[in-house]
Amino acid sequence: CLWTLAAILKETLKDAPVARAGALKKLLAPLDAVLEGFYSAILLHHFDSHHYTSPYSEATNNLISFIDLLEALLVSRVELELPLRCQRILFLKVSYVLNVISSSIPYVIKKKFILLLKKCVLYKSREDAKGGSLFLQTPSLCEDMLALSNVVLQVVNLTWLNQIPLSGKSSYFGSSETAPRHDSQGASDQTVLRALSLVVLKALEFKIHNSATEAEIK
């Protein structure tokens, strides 16, 4: 079901621009509350269970399908003037994703979620993309990005980054240990390192731009 819905979304986005918005609304509006409930139910799951020990398990594959659906919802957001709740959920409840990333779930899932977060912080509405502004003008997106930035900066201010592996092996963010040169398997994953760094920097940039006082910026 997850895969099918994601596939339909992706196909709908290939339609003529005039037809896209109407088709997306017709598809997603009845599912809006369901998808939000689904998001909470799936991501509040106990990921330390034995079902997720293998990157090839059915549970892991189901979660990958769900990530693909979340990505399709993010991409489809640009088509609607007022995005639905299910298209905003990644921003408004990003703490769920951050918790999954720091759990003991297989590395392939952590990496997909981190790359999805990167797409969130780089996301621009059609108006913002056209305007060429460095900062967001669309109210709903501005609100969502601020919500995401606040939560990201809160966890980064704690010890969240130290729990994030930078490879399938035992290299961690902020680790002082360098991997042996001959062990390419143990080397840090540069894609994840760049994506995580970008998420933190963009959150910081957005928070500073939208802070009211100098004290808050500091």
Side-chain angles (χ1 to χ4, degrees):
C1 289
L2 290 168
W3 184 90
T4 304
L5 186 53
I8 292 170
L9 265 175
K10 288 171 186 173
E11 284 303 312
T12 305
L13 290 169
K14 294 177 184 174
D15 288 348
V18 183
R20 279 200 295 252
L24 282 169
K25 204 158 191 178
K26 193 182 287 188
L27 173 67
L28 294 176
L31 295 171
D32 201 21
V34 177
L35 287 172
E36 183 177 358
F38 214 39
Y39 178 92
S40 302
I42 288 179
L43 297 187
L44 278 178
H45 192 69
H46 186 60
F47 289 110
D48 298 326
S49 74
H50 67 279
H51 296 296
Y52 294 93
T53 49
S54 165
Y56 308 107
S57 68
E58 185 181 355
T60 303
N61 280 330
N62 289 341
L63 197 50
I64 287 172
S65 292
F66 186 58
I67 296 170
D68 290 341
L69 174 59
L70 289 176
E71 188 173 347
L73 286 168
L74 176 67
V75 173
S76 71
R77 175 181 176 141
V78 77
E79 301 299 332
L80 299 183
E81 197 172 325
L82 287 172
L84 297 165
R85 181 85 181 174
C86 64
Q87 294 171 305
R88 303 177 64 192
I89 197 74
L90 256 175
F91 296 87
L92 301 177
K93 292 188 177 179
V94 71
S95 59
Y96 292 31
V97 170
L98 299 175
N99 288 337
V100 174
I101 292 170
S102 60
S103 73
S104 59
I105 206 154
Y107 181 72
V108 62
I109 300 286
K110 294 176 189 271
K111 182 169 182 173
K112 280 186 79 72
F113 267 127
I114 288 167
L115 294 177
L116 184 58
L117 280 182
K118 176 188 163 186
K119 287 180 180 175
C120 285
V121 298
L122 293 177
Y123 182 84
K124 282 193 172 183
S125 70
R126 188 170 285 147
E127 291 74 19
D128 289 318
K130 277 182 190 169
S133 169
L134 287 174
F135 299 105
L136 305 175
Q137 311 297 321
T138 313
S140 64
L141 184 55
C142 203
E143 181 188 328
D144 292 357
M145 202 68 85
L146 191 56
L148 181 145
S149 300
N150 283 333
V151 175
V152 167
L153 292 175
Q154 279 168 21
V155 298
V156 167
N157 204 30
L158 301 171
T159 57
W160 182 79
L161 276 178
N162 297 334
Q163 302 168 51
I164 312 304
L166 289 178
S167 75
K169 298 289 183 180
S170 56
S171 175
Y172 280 76
F173 197 103
S175 170
S176 57
E177 293 179 28
T178 52
R181 286 176 181 272
H182 61 275
D183 182 13
S184 59
Q185 291 267 316
S188 295
D189 185 332
Q190 297 300 304
T191 304
V192 168
L193 180 60
R194 284 194 298 270
L196 268 175
S197 301
L198 184 65
V199 168
V200 176
L201 286 170
K202 293 296 282 184
L204 196 58
E205 177 190 41
F206 196 78
K207 178 68 176 170
I208 287 171
H209 181 71
N210 289 277
S211 292
T213 65
E214 194 175 335
E216 197 178 4
I217 291 171
K218 284 182 180 177

